[in-house]
Amino acid sequence: MKKDPQFIQAQNTVLDNLRILETTLDRCVDEGMIDLQSEYHNRLEDLLDGADIAKTWDDLIEVITIAKTLEEDVDTWLAFQGRTTIELIWPKKP
């Protein structure tokens, strides 16, 4: 069964966003953000795996929901440091 092109594009966007979030998180941790026992990094790895193997919109939306929470944590830290936040654009289910 062939996947919907819109779903494939959304999945690729989610993976790209997660990689951007991962790079930003790495930079934040290097600059002093606390990531106890690599909790944020581990969650990101799980999200990357989840987005990669997602087969339905519901699977992908679940990843997006958790990723948005992680993005908010990173953005909050950046804002407290007087830095620009990342403001990622996440796909929506059609």
Side-chain angles (χ1 to χ4, degrees):
M1 182 172 159
K2 197 171 188 181
K3 285 188 183 178
D4 171 19
Q6 193 173 11
F7 175 81
I8 293 170
Q9 178 60 43
Q11 189 176 33
N12 288 333
T13 299
V14 170
L15 288 165
D16 289 345
N17 283 353
L18 290 171
R19 289 183 193 106
I20 291 168
L21 190 53
E22 183 176 43
T23 300
T24 304
L25 177 61
D26 288 343
R27 190 182 81 229
C28 291
V29 169
D30 288 345
E31 294 176 10
M33 181 179 178
I34 296 172
D35 185 10
L36 295 175
Q37 298 176 348
S38 297
E39 180 181 340
Y40 288 124
H41 281 93
N42 292 337
R43 192 178 317 160
L44 253 173
E45 288 300 318
D46 290 344
L47 291 172
L48 282 162
D49 290 343
D52 193 43
I53 63 171
K55 301 220 184 301
T56 66
W57 274 102
D58 289 339
D59 293 341
L60 197 57
I61 295 301
E62 184 178 335
V63 169
I64 291 169
T65 301
I66 297 167
K68 284 181 178 180
T69 302
L70 183 56
E71 179 188 6
E72 287 176 23
D73 290 348
V74 170
D75 278 348
T76 299
W77 188 87
L78 288 167
F80 281 137
Q81 302 304 311
R83 309 284 296 276
T84 303
T85 58
I86 51 179
E87 301 178 35
L88 297 170
I89 297 175
W90 298 94
K92 292 180 173 56
K93 184 177 178 179

